[in-house]
C-alpha cells in the first residue's frame, strides 16, 4: 500500500464532480477549484480531497509521503492525445528550408516530409527507436504530461508499422505514464504503391488492421485526409475496417484544406478530429451537437506558420475542445504541453480555464480516458502537477517559456521531485 498526502495547496484545480468525463461549450470556462486544499491518494488513486478547514486529520502516518504545497497549485497532469513520438531522426534541415521560403508541401514534393521520416525509420532497429522515444517521453513527463497517445505512421509498410506499434507497447511497459496507441498507416502513400493507391489502402484494411487488432497493438485508427495524401473515401474505407476490428477513429483533417472529411468522420462516429486549421461553416456545424472531439494543435500552426484553428467558434458551437502537442519531427518538434497552453491562450484566444480543461479533461476524453484522468476527482488516477509558487493560475500560460512545474506525480508516485517534496 502506498499513500500520498498533499496539503495546504493554494488551490486544487480541476476538481470536477464524479462522473464528469468532458466539458463542452460554455462549460469549458468553468474550472472548479478548492482553495487551501488537501488531497489523499492511495495505491495510485485519489481517495479523498477537501479544504484544509475541513481537514479530518490522519491517524496512521506510516508509509505516508507528505507534500506541503503552500503557495502552489495542484492541477491534473497534462494529457496529450495526439503525438507521433516514435520517429527515427529529426528533420531540422527542412526547418532551415522553410526559413528560406519552401512550404511544407514543397518539401514533401522534393522527397522530404513524411516519406523521408519513413525511409529513416525502416532502417532503424526496434531497440534504437525505443531508446530515443523513451527519452523524449521522459522529457514530456518532466514537463507535466501524464498520459499520451502515440501514432505509428512513419513505417508505411506492414512490417514497419507493426514495428512502431511494438515499440509503443514496450514504452507502455517501461514508463509510468499512460500510453494509448494509434495505427496511422494511412499517413502518406509509400513509394512502393505510388502507382497503386487502392492496393495500399487494401493492404491497410485487409491485412494490417486485422493483424494489429489480433495482436492488441492499437487502440485507435487514424488517416491523414488531405490533398495529396488520402481522400475522404479512402479515409472512410480505413475507418470502417478499423471499426470492424474495434479500433475507434481519431483522424488528421482540415490541416491545409477542407475536403468534407469532418462531416464524414462525425458520421462514422470518430472519437476525435484533429488539426482543423482550415474550417468551413459546414465543418463546424457537423461537430456541433456531435460527440466527436475537436483536438487542436496550436504548436503545429506556430511551427509551420499556418493558420490557427478557430477555437472560439468551436466552443461557441458547443463542442468539447481538446489540446495536444502533435509532437513529431516534421511539423511540431516539441512535446511541451505548457507551450501548447500558452499558444492556446495567446493565439486561439482560449481563457486559461478553458485551456486547462482542454489540456486535461477533454484531452483525456480524446483518448477515451476521461473516466480515469483529467481532473482531481475521487476515484481517478492520482496523476498531477504541483506548480512552483506562482501568483495566479493565469500566470502559467502568461509567463510562457518559463518552467512553472515543481513536482509531477503519476499514479501517486513522484516522477519529478521538486522543492515541495523536500
Ligand atoms: O500531424 N499532418 C500530418 N502528420 C503530422 C506531420 C507529419 C510530418 O511532417 O512528419 C502532423 O502535423
Ligand atoms: Fe499529427
Amino acid at each position: 500500500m502506498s499513500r500520498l498526502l498533499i496539503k495546504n495547496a493554494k488551490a486544487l484545480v480541476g476538481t470536477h464532480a464524479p462522473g464528469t468525463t468532458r466539458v463542452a461549450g460554455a462549460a469549458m470556462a468553468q474550472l472548479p477549484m478548492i482553495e487551501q486544499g488537501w488531497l489523499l491518494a492511495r495505491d495510485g488513486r485519489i481517495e479523498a480531497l477537501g479544504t484544509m478547514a475541513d481537514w479530518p486529520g490522519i491517524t496512521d502516518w506510516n508509509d505516508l509521503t507528505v507534500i506541503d504545497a503552500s503557495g502552489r497549485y495542484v492541477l491534473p497532469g497534462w494529457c496529450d492525445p495526439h503525438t507521433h513520438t516514435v520517429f527515427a531522426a529529426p528533420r531540422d534541415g527542412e526547418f532551415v528550408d522553410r526559413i528560406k521560403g519552401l512550404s511544407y508541401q514543397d518539401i514533401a514534393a522534393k522527397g522530404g516530409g513524411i516519406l523521408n521520416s519513413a525511409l529513416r525509420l525502416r532502417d532503424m532497429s526496434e531497440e534504437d527507436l525505443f531508446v530515443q522515444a523513451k527519452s523524449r517521453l521522459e522529457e514530456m513527463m518532466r514537463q507535466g504530461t501524464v498520459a499520451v497517445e502515440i501514432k505509428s505512421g512513419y513505417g508505411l509498410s506492414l512490417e514497419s508499422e507493426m514495428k512502431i506499434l511494438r515499440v509503443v507497447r514496450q514504452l507502455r511497459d517501461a514508463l509510468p505514464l499512460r500510453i494509448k496507441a494509434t495505427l496511422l498507416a494511412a499517413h502518406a502513400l509509400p513509394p512502393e504503391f505510388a502507382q497503386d493507391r487502392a492496393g495500399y489502402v487494401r493492404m491497410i484494411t485487409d491485412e494490417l488492421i486485422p493483424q494489429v487488432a489480433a495482436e492488441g497493438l492499437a487502440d485507435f485508427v487514424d488517416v491523414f485526409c488531405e490533398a495529396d495524401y488520402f481522400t475522404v473515401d479512402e479515409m472512410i474505407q480505413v475507418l470502417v475496417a478499423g471499426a470492424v476490428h474495434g479500433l475507434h477513429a481519431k483522424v488528421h483533417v482540415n490541416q491545409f484544406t477542407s475536403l468534407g472529411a469532418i462531416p464524414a468522420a462525425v458520421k462514422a462516429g470518430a472519437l476525435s478530429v484533429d488539426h482543423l486549421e482550415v474550417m468551413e461553416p459546414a465543418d463546424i456545424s457537423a461537430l456541433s451537437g456531435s460527440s466527436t472531439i475537436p483536438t487542436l494543435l496550436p504548436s503545429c500552426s506556430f511551427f509551420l506558420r499556418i493558420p490557427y484553428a478557430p477555437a472560439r467558434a468551436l466552443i461557441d458551437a458547443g463542442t468539447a475542445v481538446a489540446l495536444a502537442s502533435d509532437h513529431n519531427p516534421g511539423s511540431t518538434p516539441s512535446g511541451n504541453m505548457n507551450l501548447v497552453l500558452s499558444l492556446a491562450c495567446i493565439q486561439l484566444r482560449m481563457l486559461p480555464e478553458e485551456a486547462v480543461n482542454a489540456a486535461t479533461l477533454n484531452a483525456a476524453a480524446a483518448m477515451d480516458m476521461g473516466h480515469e484522468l483529467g481532473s482531481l476527482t475521487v476515484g481517478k488516477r492520482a496523476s498531477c502537477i504541483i506548480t512552483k509558487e506562482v501568483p495566479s493560475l493565469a500566470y502559467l500560460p502568461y509567463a510562457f517559456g518559463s518552467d512553472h512545474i515543481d513536482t509531477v506525480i503519476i499514479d501517486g508516485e513522484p516522477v519529478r521531485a521538486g522543492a515541495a517534496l523536500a
Side-chain angles (χ1 to χ4, degrees):
M1 184 188 77
S2 79
R3 290 183 308 153
L4 175 82
L5 170 67
I6 303 172
K7 53 176 198 168
N8 297 325
K10 181 174 175 123
L12 303 175
V13 175
T15 51
H16 288 283
T20 313
T21 55
R22 61 169 71 187
V23 278
M28 283 192 66
Q30 307 301 320
L31 183 64
M33 292 190 206
I34 298 177
E35 286 176 15
Q36 287 306 310
W38 61 273
L39 180 152
L40 183 67
R42 182 191 296 264
D43 294 334
R45 297 273 170 175
I46 299 172
E47 187 176 67
L49 47 76
T51 68
M52 291 307 292
D54 301 327
W55 164 239
I58 288 273
T59 46
D60 177 10
W61 292 86
N62 287 325
D63 296 320
L64 179 68
T65 305
V66 181
I67 295 180
D68 188 334
S70 299
R72 307 174 190 282
Y73 288 95
V74 180
L75 294 98
W78 306 134
C79 294
D80 188 348
H82 181 137
T83 82
H84 311 242
T85 293
V86 177
F87 57 86
R91 304 214 307 261
D92 40 327
E94 294 178 10
F95 168 65
V96 177
D97 285 345
R98 259 197 316 279
I99 294 170
K100 290 179 181 161
L102 296 193
S103 69
Y104 186 80
Q105 288 82 354
D106 296 335
I107 289 165
K110 71 177 192 119
I114 297 168
L115 291 183
N116 170 7
S117 280
L119 293 179
R120 302 290 294 271
L121 185 137
R122 287 176 180 187
D123 288 339
M124 191 171 271
S125 72
E126 229 166 283
E127 294 82 86
D128 288 349
L129 285 169
F130 169 77
V131 168
Q132 284 199 29
K134 181 164 173 278
S135 96
R136 292 179 197 125
L137 289 168
E138 284 165 345
E139 181 182 2
M140 288 156 76
M141 285 193 291
R142 284 195 299 278
Q143 293 166 339
T145 298
V146 301
V148 68
E149 179 256 21
I150 305 176
K151 302 172 191 299
S152 66
Y154 292 127
L156 309 182
S157 70
L158 188 128
E159 304 72 37
S160 298
E161 288 291 305
M162 302 274 291
K163 176 165 82 175
I164 301 172
L165 294 174
R166 280 195 303 270
V167 170
V168 174
R169 182 169 61 188
Q170 262 183 279
L171 292 164
R172 186 184 293 152
D173 294 342
L175 292 168
L177 87 169
R178 298 274 288 139
I179 298 179
K180 292 269 179 144
T182 299
L183 174 67
L184 174 58
H187 198 192
L189 196 63
E192 301 78 19
F193 285 91
Q195 307 308 322
D196 186 14
R197 304 183 61 81
Y200 186 59
V201 173
R202 228 177 8 255
M203 190 283 285
I204 296 172
T205 57
D206 297 5
E207 294 177 55
L208 191 46
I209 288 177
Q211 207 162 319
V212 162
E215 295 190 28
L217 282 173
D219 305 288
F220 307 114
V221 69
D222 194 345
V223 176
F224 185 19
C225 186
E226 184 58 59
D228 298 333
Y229 292 87
F230 293 92
T231 64
V232 175
D233 280 353
E234 289 163 343
M235 175 186 82
I236 293 300
Q237 287 172 48
V238 173
L239 299 197
V240 166
V244 167
H245 290 88
L247 306 180
H248 209 169
K250 287 170 67 64
V251 286
H252 282 74
V253 291
N254 293 51
Q255 182 177 5
F256 300 104
T257 35
S258 174
L259 301 173
I262 292 181
V266 167
K267 195 159 162 236
L271 176 60
S272 73
V273 287
D274 303 23
H275 273 288
L276 282 49
E277 289 87 348
V278 176
M279 295 288 277
E280 298 291 338
D283 297 318
I284 295 185
S285 52
L287 284 165
S288 175
S290 84
S291 62
T292 300
I293 294 176
T295 298
L296 311 185
L297 315 169
S299 36
C300 173
S301 296
F302 172 68
F303 185 76
L304 292 184
R305 261 181 273 106
I306 62 175
Y308 285 86
R312 291 259 51 98
L314 287 161
I315 293 172
D316 290 348
T319 68
V321 170
L323 290 164
S325 73
D326 196 19
H327 187 208
N328 76 77
S331 73
T332 324
S334 161
N336 188 339
M337 286 295 286
N338 304 285
L339 176 64
V340 171
L341 199 77
S342 289
L343 290 171
C345 295
I346 298 162
Q347 298 286 3
L348 304 183
R349 308 194 66 154
M350 292 172 73
L351 295 167
E353 291 81 2
E354 291 171 330
V356 170
N357 276 323
T360 55
L361 189 56
N362 288 353
M367 353 180 213
D368 215 4
M369 295 202 282
H371 56 288
E372 57 172 339
L373 279 167
S375 63
L376 301 183
T377 305
V378 169
K380 283 198 181 182
R381 289 174 182 271
S383 295
C384 56
I385 292 169
I386 302 176
T387 67
K388 293 178 178 162
E389 294 193 27
V390 290
S392 67
L393 193 72
Y395 189 84
L396 300 176
Y398 155 81
F400 72 96
S402 289
D403 177 12
H404 302 302
I405 295 180
D406 179 80
T407 295
V408 180
I409 292 167
I410 297 186
D411 291 351
E413 302 287 340
V415 297
R416 169 176 170 179
L421 249 171

